[in-house]
Amino acid sequence: MSSVTTLAGASWAEFSAAQNLPVSPVGRGTGKQVDVTAAPWRADPTGSRSATLAIEAAAASLQDGDVLWAPASSAFLIDHPWEAFSDSDPVDLPGRGRAVVSIIRKRAITIDFNGSTVRTVNHPIDAKGGLLFAFFKNAPDCRVTGIHFDMSFTGWNTLARRYSLCGGVMAFDKYGGATPSSTLCSGFEADHLSFKLFHPQGAFSVTNAPHGVDNNNGHKILSVFASGDSAAASEDTQNRGLYLHDITFLDGHNGYGCWGVAYSDARFQQITAKACTGAYYHQPSAKMAGANFLGPVRYYQYRCKGLEIVGILARSIPYAQRTGAFMGLCGAVHVHSGLPDNTGGGAVIRNIQAILDGETTQLGPSFDVGVSSTLSGIVGIEDVRIDCHTQSAAVGLLLVGNDGSAQSHYRVVQIQGSQRLNGPLIEVLNGSNVSDARRTIKSLYIDRPRALGFGSAGSIFMQSAGKTFFGVEKVTITGGEFSGEKSMLPGHAINFQGRTDGDTLEVTDCVVKSPVKPISAGSARLVERGNEHNNGSGGER
């Protein structure tokens, strides 16, 4: 089904071997251990005074294979003790701000703080720009482990020449596809981290003074952001090997989750978010602008191949704790092709649980979504559970056809929607380019969906995004149960807005119980076998 091998609980070595990568990152741990609290650095481990310059100096001394180390149970206060904001800092990221630890053109560096805390208190973005703890560029086989990030920020940027990046860890390569993989941030690993990053205006803000064509430059609060060279078209110039695992986002965190871009052989494993929100703001009014897909896992594939996301748990902020609109969970997992004509592909997404706790009456729209995808190629989504603790206006699984790609094949297995999901369990939006009627999701196989509650659109709702064609060649749904027993306005069990009789909806061995409406196939050919309908009779037609 996919080029990615499924290895539950695999170590880096096992995963790398499965992807034909080196068994272990080359040279990691072969150098010296640099203790940031020891002479001559003497970073304060109590958190009572700034440790920024000491850690910066210790990091500057690192050579290939070294370990930047801190004793367990330490606390390090990170601030901005440098001189006035410079648009040239840090190196290779002009206008973005400063990083305490900059690993540039070095190899196999490890940052291991043994579970210690890195703390920032109300860093003023407007006065001092961005502030990151660690920044990597042209740094293969590096790792960050064992840190609790407790960081808060205020203010925002209003200048077009700046793009304020704040938060934990960033790996960044961008060379137009002209640099060998071996010199990029390939083999990058981040693990056993926890985050509580907070900004009063959410994860990012939109400005009226865009940086080039990008107006999301008010502020960005990043947890782990690994961005490969998105222009690279061949494997020998792509970032290869990204492994983010055992990461927790704590109550009160409202920054980004784990965000990966353009890595071949990428893996996200065992990531938990305890109270998610997708909120962002529009400056300078600081008014809530909307919601974005900012859950615990966000990935843009571009031309890369090989993606596995496994063991993700996310809960939205409970309705009682929401202070405004757009504060729902916008995807425990959000994966995006990144390109209109994506040549990447191959993904497995499995063992996902999204707990949605919104209300249809909440302030403004809710954007509660469990899993969303615009990936091309063969995609397997398995074992997804959507729990809705109240009458949540939500979508369990959102699949969106990618413009111009004729190669999207989805296999969706064991989707469960329990409690009261006041929206589709699975929603498919297809055909976003009216001038290009190439089939954007070619085939869809759904095995054992279970829906107890959903909205009037139906449990499985497939439409053409308002265009004149639909574009799914064949949909097969088998072994499902659709009862609608917890729905306020139950609709069709399956609402397939097929546009032509050349499209086929095949439904087998499903149970459709009252008060759910019958299966609707639109103009498509409907094939039923072995179904049990409202009246208890089998369906054969």
Side-chain angles (χ1 to χ4, degrees):
M1 180 172 61
S2 167
S3 62
V4 177
T5 300
T6 299
L7 293 171
S11 66
W12 171 268
E14 291 171 317
F15 177 66
S16 300
Q19 305 305 316
N20 299 313
L21 296 179
V23 172
S24 61
V26 177
R28 187 187 287 176
T30 59
K32 65 182 180 296
Q33 178 174 288
V34 177
D35 182 350
V36 299
T37 65
W41 328 114
R42 296 189 176 89
D44 177 20
T46 69
S48 60
R49 56 190 176 89
S50 175
T52 306
L53 295 180
I55 295 175
E56 181 189 40
S61 75
L62 297 174
Q63 302 298 317
D64 291 357
D66 286 354
V67 178
L68 188 68
W69 188 87
S73 303
S74 300
F76 299 102
L77 178 63
I78 301 301
D79 55 10
H80 197 289
W82 302 286
E83 295 180 0
F85 181 92
S86 170
D87 288 337
S88 63
D89 290 325
V91 177
D92 291 338
L93 261 182
R96 264 61 173 179
R98 291 294 294 258
V100 180
V101 178
S102 289
I103 308 298
I104 300 172
R105 289 176 283 276
K106 296 180 181 180
R107 178 182 295 273
I109 301 296
T110 299
I111 303 174
D112 184 357
F113 272 29
N114 284 288
S116 293
T117 297
V118 168
R119 178 175 292 115
T120 295
V121 181
N122 292 334
H123 169 75
I125 295 172
D126 49 348
K128 296 195 171 183
L131 178 63
L132 291 164
F133 175 70
F135 173 74
F136 297 82
K137 190 177 183 70
N138 287 111
D141 301 320
C142 291
R143 179 189 183 198
V144 180
T145 185
I147 304 177
H148 168 55
F149 291 93
D150 185 358
M151 311 177 81
S152 59
F153 303 88
T154 62
W156 54 83
N157 164 62
T158 58
L159 301 178
R161 69 177 184 271
R162 297 179 183 171
Y163 202 114
S164 299
L165 301 176
C166 300
V169 180
M170 178 176 177
F172 184 85
D173 291 309
K174 190 172 184 180
Y175 296 104
T179 301
S181 295
S182 59
T183 64
L184 302 174
C185 291
S186 296
F188 187 79
E189 182 175 8
D191 63 283
H192 294 90
L193 306 176
S194 64
F195 292 90
K196 185 179 178 181
L197 310 183
F198 179 78
H199 190 289
Q201 276 75 53
F204 72 99
S205 58
V206 177
T207 76
N208 294 324
H211 185 82
V213 297
D214 189 347
N215 65 345
N216 297 326
N217 60 325
H219 74 279
K220 279 191 174 175
I221 310 300
L222 304 173
S223 299
V224 180
F225 178 42
S227 182
D229 190 348
S230 59
S234 62
E235 289 189 2
D236 58 353
T237 59
Q238 290 174 347
N239 291 65
R240 292 185 59 81
L242 174 64
Y243 190 26
L244 307 184
H245 62 100
D246 296 281
I247 295 173
T248 302
F249 299 97
L250 302 174
D251 287 352
H253 174 87
N254 72 350
Y256 281 82
C258 296
W259 186 2
V261 176
Y263 267 81
S264 281
D265 305 305
R267 189 168 208 237
F268 300 77
Q269 178 184 355
Q270 303 305 323
I271 299 173
T272 300
K274 296 187 175 182
C276 295
T277 176
Y280 71 93
Y281 280 65
H282 196 294
Q283 312 302 350
S285 62
K287 293 296 179 70
M288 188 76 77
N292 211 318
F293 292 98
L294 305 177
V297 176
R298 190 175 198 238
Y299 182 74
Y300 283 53
Q301 193 170 44
Y302 285 85
R303 299 170 178 86
C304 297
K305 294 180 173 64
L307 169 66
E308 185 170 20
I309 300 172
V310 57
I312 312 300
L313 170 62
R315 177 170 185 156
S316 67
I317 293 179
Y319 171 70
Q321 298 177 24
R322 300 186 187 188
T323 57
F326 304 107
M327 294 190 71
L329 167 62
C330 289
V333 173
H334 174 60
V335 287
H336 196 285
S337 62
L339 290 171
D341 286 291
N342 185 22
T343 56
V348 171
I349 302 170
R350 63 185 183 84
N351 190 17
I352 312 297
Q353 183 176 9
I355 302 172
L356 309 179
D357 199 358
E359 287 276 359
T360 56
T361 57
Q362 75 179 79
L363 301 173
S366 168
F367 281 82
D368 290 291
V369 178
V371 176
S372 67
S373 171
T374 69
L375 290 184
S376 293
I378 299 175
V379 181
I381 302 178
E382 308 178 10
D383 299 319
V384 177
R385 181 181 177 88
I386 311 298
D387 290 328
C388 299
H389 283 203
T390 56
Q391 290 286 358
S392 182
V395 177
L397 173 62
L398 177 64
L399 305 179
V400 181
N402 184 38
D403 286 358
S405 169
Q407 300 302 319
S408 295
H409 300 257
Y410 281 89
R411 175 185 173 89
V412 181
V413 181
Q414 290 186 343
I415 306 294
Q416 298 184 357
S418 65
Q419 303 294 327
R420 294 175 288 274
L421 182 66
N422 192 30
L425 181 65
I426 301 174
E427 182 169 0
V428 181
L429 302 177
N430 210 33
S432 53
N433 186 340
V434 71
S435 65
D436 184 353
R438 285 179 287 178
R439 300 185 181 279
T440 56
I441 294 180
K442 190 169 184 178
S443 63
L444 179 63
Y445 178 89
I446 303 171
D447 184 24
R448 286 166 287 169
R450 182 171 184 265
L452 302 182
F454 46 87
S456 57
S459 176
I460 299 176
F461 177 54
M462 293 167 279
Q463 65 162 332
S464 59
K467 306 304 182 185
T468 58
F469 62 93
F470 177 56
V472 174
E473 220 170 70
K474 184 174 182 180
V475 178
T476 302
I477 301 169
T478 184
E481 179 183 342
F482 309 98
S483 70
E485 62 189 67
K486 297 182 181 295
S487 297
M488 296 177 65
L489 295 170
H492 295 280
I494 301 165
N495 188 355
F496 178 67
Q497 295 186 354
R499 296 295 180 180
T500 71
D501 56 10
D503 295 332
T504 300
L505 172 62
E506 182 176 307
V507 185
T508 64
D509 301 314
C510 290
V511 178
V512 182
K513 298 180 180 179
S514 180
V516 176
K517 296 178 182 178
I519 297 168
S520 174
S523 298
R525 185 171 68 97
L526 175 62
V527 178
E528 288 194 79
R529 289 190 298 273
N531 297 321
E532 179 183 332
H533 289 278
N534 292 340
N535 58 9
S537 63
E540 298 285 346
R541 51 179 172 172

mmCIF file of all heavy atoms in Angstrom, residues 337 339-344 374-377 401-409 430 436 438-442 471:
data_model
loop_
_atom_site.group_PDB
_atom_site.id
_atom_site.type_symbol
_atom_site.label_atom_id
_atom_site.label_comp_id
_atom_site.label_asym_id
_atom_site.label_seq_id
_atom_site.Cartn_x
_atom_site.Cartn_y
_atom_site.Cartn_z
ATOM 1 N N SER A 337 -0.052 18.135 0.458
ATOM 2 C CA SER A 337 0.862 17.806 -0.630
ATOM 3 C C SER A 337 1.911 18.887 -0.844
ATOM 4 O O SER A 337 3.034 18.607 -1.259
ATOM 5 C CB SER A 337 0.077 17.592 -1.918
ATOM 6 O OG SER A 337 -0.598 18.781 -2.275
ATOM 7 N N LEU A 339 2.186 21.026 -3.163
ATOM 8 C CA LEU A 339 2.291 21.456 -4.544
ATOM 9 C C LEU A 339 1.003 21.145 -5.292
ATOM 10 O O LEU A 339 0.344 20.143 -5.002
ATOM 11 C CB LEU A 339 3.440 20.736 -5.255
ATOM 12 C CG LEU A 339 4.858 21.100 -4.828
ATOM 13 C CD1 LEU A 339 5.833 20.135 -5.476
ATOM 14 C CD2 LEU A 339 5.188 22.530 -5.213
ATOM 15 N N PRO A 340 0.627 21.953 -6.299
ATOM 16 C CA PRO A 340 -0.558 21.626 -7.098
ATOM 17 C C PRO A 340 -0.412 20.295 -7.832
ATOM 18 O O PRO A 340 -1.314 19.479 -7.833
ATOM 19 C CB PRO A 340 -0.640 22.798 -8.072
ATOM 20 C CG PRO A 340 0.061 23.913 -7.395
ATOM 21 C CD PRO A 340 1.173 23.272 -6.625
ATOM 22 N N ASP A 341 0.737 20.078 -8.458
ATOM 23 C CA ASP A 341 0.993 18.813 -9.133
ATOM 24 C C ASP A 341 2.088 18.084 -8.369
ATOM 25 O O ASP A 341 3.266 18.146 -8.716
ATOM 26 C CB ASP A 341 1.426 19.042 -10.583
ATOM 27 C CG ASP A 341 0.254 19.455 -11.455
ATOM 28 O OD1 ASP A 341 -0.617 18.616 -11.693
ATOM 29 O OD2 ASP A 341 0.226 20.618 -11.866
ATOM 30 N N ASN A 342 1.675 17.406 -7.330
ATOM 31 C CA ASN A 342 2.628 16.784 -6.421
ATOM 32 C C ASN A 342 3.178 15.490 -7.008
ATOM 33 O O ASN A 342 2.433 14.610 -7.411
ATOM 34 C CB ASN A 342 1.929 16.483 -5.100
ATOM 35 C CG ASN A 342 2.898 15.951 -4.065
ATOM 36 O OD1 ASN A 342 4.093 16.171 -4.174
ATOM 37 N ND2 ASN A 342 2.370 15.261 -3.084
ATOM 38 N N THR A 343 4.507 15.366 -7.032
ATOM 39 C CA THR A 343 5.133 14.134 -7.488
ATOM 40 C C THR A 343 5.621 13.300 -6.325
ATOM 41 O O THR A 343 6.287 12.295 -6.512
ATOM 42 C CB THR A 343 6.312 14.442 -8.427
ATOM 43 O OG1 THR A 343 7.242 15.301 -7.751
ATOM 44 C CG2 THR A 343 5.826 15.130 -9.684
ATOM 45 N N GLY A 344 5.330 13.724 -5.105
ATOM 46 C CA GLY A 344 5.679 12.924 -3.938
ATOM 47 C C GLY A 344 4.636 11.846 -3.723
ATOM 48 O O GLY A 344 3.855 11.510 -4.604
ATOM 49 N N THR A 374 -4.446 16.319 2.093
ATOM 50 C CA THR A 374 -4.500 16.614 0.665
ATOM 51 C C THR A 374 -3.383 15.868 -0.060
ATOM 52 O O THR A 374 -2.962 16.270 -1.138
ATOM 53 C CB THR A 374 -4.356 18.123 0.382
ATOM 54 O OG1 THR A 374 -3.016 18.534 0.700
ATOM 55 C CG2 THR A 374 -5.344 18.926 1.183
ATOM 56 N N LEU A 375 -2.877 14.777 0.522
ATOM 57 C CA LEU A 375 -1.758 14.062 -0.073
ATOM 58 C C LEU A 375 -2.147 13.390 -1.374
ATOM 59 O O LEU A 375 -3.289 12.987 -1.584
ATOM 60 C CB LEU A 375 -1.232 12.998 0.885
ATOM 61 C CG LEU A 375 -0.509 13.493 2.133
ATOM 62 C CD1 LEU A 375 0.021 12.314 2.916
ATOM 63 C CD2 LEU A 375 0.621 14.455 1.789
ATOM 64 N N SER A 376 -1.151 13.235 -2.242
ATOM 65 C CA SER A 376 -1.309 12.462 -3.458
ATOM 66 C C SER A 376 -0.617 11.118 -3.281
ATOM 67 O O SER A 376 0.004 10.851 -2.270
ATOM 68 C CB SER A 376 -0.708 13.210 -4.646
ATOM 69 O OG SER A 376 -1.443 14.379 -4.913
ATOM 70 N N GLY A 377 -0.695 10.282 -4.314
ATOM 71 C CA GLY A 377 -0.106 8.961 -4.216
ATOM 72 C C GLY A 377 -1.015 8.025 -3.438
ATOM 73 O O GLY A 377 -2.191 8.282 -3.220
ATOM 74 N N GLY A 401 -9.094 16.635 -2.420
ATOM 75 C CA GLY A 401 -8.367 16.331 -3.644
ATOM 76 C C GLY A 401 -7.372 17.417 -3.977
ATOM 77 O O GLY A 401 -7.638 18.605 -3.833
ATOM 78 N N ASN A 402 -6.205 16.996 -4.460
ATOM 79 C CA ASN A 402 -5.140 17.939 -4.785
ATOM 80 C C ASN A 402 -5.224 18.322 -6.263
ATOM 81 O O ASN A 402 -5.348 17.460 -7.124
ATOM 82 C CB ASN A 402 -3.784 17.307 -4.477
ATOM 83 C CG ASN A 402 -2.658 18.274 -4.702
ATOM 84 O OD1 ASN A 402 -2.776 19.445 -4.406
ATOM 85 N ND2 ASN A 402 -1.557 17.778 -5.226
ATOM 86 N N ASP A 403 -5.143 19.601 -6.576
ATOM 87 C CA ASP A 403 -5.281 20.079 -7.951
ATOM 88 C C ASP A 403 -4.357 19.336 -8.911
ATOM 89 O O ASP A 403 -3.162 19.230 -8.679
ATOM 90 C CB ASP A 403 -4.940 21.572 -8.025
ATOM 91 C CG ASP A 403 -6.028 22.435 -7.435
ATOM 92 O OD1 ASP A 403 -7.041 21.871 -7.007
ATOM 93 O OD2 ASP A 403 -5.845 23.662 -7.410
ATOM 94 N N GLY A 404 -4.928 18.841 -9.978
ATOM 95 C CA GLY A 404 -4.127 18.355 -11.079
ATOM 96 C C GLY A 404 -3.501 16.997 -10.893
ATOM 97 O O GLY A 404 -2.802 16.510 -11.772
ATOM 98 N N SER A 405 -3.667 16.334 -9.748
ATOM 99 C CA SER A 405 -3.043 15.035 -9.554
ATOM 100 C C SER A 405 -4.041 13.933 -9.854
ATOM 101 O O SER A 405 -5.141 13.930 -9.332
ATOM 102 C CB SER A 405 -2.549 14.881 -8.114
ATOM 103 O OG SER A 405 -2.170 13.544 -7.875
ATOM 104 N N ALA A 406 -3.650 12.983 -10.669
ATOM 105 C CA ALA A 406 -4.529 11.864 -10.998
ATOM 106 C C ALA A 406 -4.158 10.613 -10.215
ATOM 107 O O ALA A 406 -4.564 9.515 -10.558
ATOM 108 C CB ALA A 406 -4.452 11.576 -12.489
ATOM 109 N N GLN A 407 -3.353 10.774 -9.181
ATOM 110 C CA GLN A 407 -2.782 9.605 -8.527
ATOM 111 C C GLN A 407 -3.122 9.505 -7.046
ATOM 112 O O GLN A 407 -2.400 8.865 -6.291
ATOM 113 C CB GLN A 407 -1.257 9.627 -8.692
ATOM 114 C CG GLN A 407 -0.796 9.614 -10.137
ATOM 115 C CD GLN A 407 -1.308 8.401 -10.894
ATOM 116 O OE1 GLN A 407 -1.336 7.296 -10.370
ATOM 117 N NE2 GLN A 407 -1.737 8.601 -12.134
ATOM 118 N N SER A 408 -4.189 10.116 -6.607
ATOM 119 C CA SER A 408 -4.551 10.021 -5.197
ATOM 120 C C SER A 408 -5.400 8.777 -4.963
ATOM 121 O O SER A 408 -6.519 8.676 -5.449
ATOM 122 C CB SER A 408 -5.335 11.268 -4.756
ATOM 123 O OG SER A 408 -4.506 12.401 -4.836
ATOM 124 N N HIS A 409 -4.860 7.851 -4.219
ATOM 125 C CA HIS A 409 -5.583 6.638 -3.866
ATOM 126 C C HIS A 409 -5.604 6.557 -2.339
ATOM 127 O O HIS A 409 -4.551 6.521 -1.702
ATOM 128 C CB HIS A 409 -4.895 5.388 -4.421
ATOM 129 C CG HIS A 409 -4.777 5.361 -5.900
ATOM 130 N ND1 HIS A 409 -5.594 4.597 -6.694
ATOM 131 C CD2 HIS A 409 -3.943 6.011 -6.752
ATOM 132 C CE1 HIS A 409 -5.249 4.765 -7.967
ATOM 133 N NE2 HIS A 409 -4.256 5.616 -8.016
ATOM 134 N N ASN A 430 -13.554 17.397 -3.441
ATOM 135 C CA ASN A 430 -12.762 17.049 -4.610
ATOM 136 C C ASN A 430 -13.004 18.039 -5.730
ATOM 137 O O ASN A 430 -14.040 18.664 -5.805
ATOM 138 C CB ASN A 430 -13.145 15.636 -5.076
ATOM 139 C CG ASN A 430 -11.979 14.939 -5.742
ATOM 140 O OD1 ASN A 430 -10.848 15.165 -5.353
ATOM 141 N ND2 ASN A 430 -12.263 14.117 -6.725
ATOM 142 N N ASP A 436 -9.745 22.037 -14.778
ATOM 143 C CA ASP A 436 -8.950 20.815 -14.895
ATOM 144 C C ASP A 436 -9.725 19.683 -14.241
ATOM 145 O O ASP A 436 -9.753 19.546 -13.019
ATOM 146 C CB ASP A 436 -7.591 21.005 -14.210
ATOM 147 C CG ASP A 436 -6.692 19.794 -14.394
ATOM 148 O OD1 ASP A 436 -7.171 18.775 -14.929
ATOM 149 O OD2 ASP A 436 -5.522 19.866 -14.005
ATOM 150 N N ARG A 438 -9.241 16.532 -14.317
ATOM 151 C CA ARG A 438 -8.552 15.287 -14.008
ATOM 152 C C ARG A 438 -8.958 14.812 -12.620
ATOM 153 O O ARG A 438 -9.127 15.608 -11.696
ATOM 154 C CB ARG A 438 -7.032 15.502 -14.064
ATOM 155 C CG ARG A 438 -6.513 15.615 -15.484
ATOM 156 C CD ARG A 438 -5.023 15.859 -15.505
ATOM 157 N NE ARG A 438 -4.711 17.224 -15.095
ATOM 158 C CZ ARG A 438 -3.457 17.683 -15.000
ATOM 159 N NH1 ARG A 438 -2.452 16.881 -15.255
ATOM 160 N NH2 ARG A 438 -3.237 18.921 -14.655
ATOM 161 N N ARG A 439 -9.075 13.511 -12.451
ATOM 162 C CA ARG A 439 -9.575 12.962 -11.198
ATOM 163 C C ARG A 439 -8.552 13.196 -10.106
ATOM 164 O O ARG A 439 -7.413 12.765 -10.209
ATOM 165 C CB ARG A 439 -9.890 11.485 -11.360
ATOM 166 C CG ARG A 439 -10.953 11.251 -12.428
ATOM 167 C CD ARG A 439 -11.350 9.789 -12.500
ATOM 168 N NE ARG A 439 -12.359 9.614 -13.555
ATOM 169 C CZ ARG A 439 -13.630 9.864 -13.387
ATOM 170 N NH1 ARG A 439 -14.079 10.279 -12.224
ATOM 171 N NH2 ARG A 439 -14.480 9.705 -14.373
ATOM 172 N N THR A 440 -8.966 13.860 -9.059
ATOM 173 C CA THR A 440 -8.011 14.263 -8.036
ATOM 174 C C THR A 440 -7.912 13.275 -6.885
ATOM 175 O O THR A 440 -6.879 13.176 -6.268
ATOM 176 C CB THR A 440 -8.363 15.660 -7.501
ATOM 177 O OG1 THR A 440 -9.703 15.635 -7.020
ATOM 178 C CG2 THR A 440 -8.233 16.693 -8.584
ATOM 179 N N ILE A 441 -8.987 12.597 -6.565
ATOM 180 C CA ILE A 441 -8.905 11.433 -5.694
ATOM 181 C C ILE A 441 -9.437 10.281 -6.524
ATOM 182 O O ILE A 441 -10.635 10.207 -6.803
ATOM 183 C CB ILE A 441 -9.701 11.599 -4.387
ATOM 184 C CG1 ILE A 441 -9.081 12.705 -3.528
ATOM 185 C CG2 ILE A 441 -9.713 10.287 -3.595
ATOM 186 C CD1 ILE A 441 -9.805 12.943 -2.226
ATOM 187 N N LYS A 442 -8.574 9.412 -6.961
ATOM 188 C CA LYS A 442 -8.969 8.433 -7.967
ATOM 189 C C LYS A 442 -9.789 7.306 -7.361
ATOM 190 O O LYS A 442 -10.773 6.863 -7.939
ATOM 191 C CB LYS A 442 -7.728 7.872 -8.650
ATOM 192 C CG LYS A 442 -8.055 7.027 -9.879
ATOM 193 C CD LYS A 442 -6.800 6.723 -10.668
ATOM 194 C CE LYS A 442 -7.129 5.966 -11.940
ATOM 195 N NZ LYS A 442 -5.927 5.692 -12.741
ATOM 196 N N GLY A 471 -15.169 13.599 -9.690
ATOM 197 C CA GLY A 471 -13.812 13.157 -9.948
ATOM 198 C C GLY A 471 -13.317 11.958 -9.184
ATOM 199 O O GLY A 471 -12.183 11.576 -9.352
#
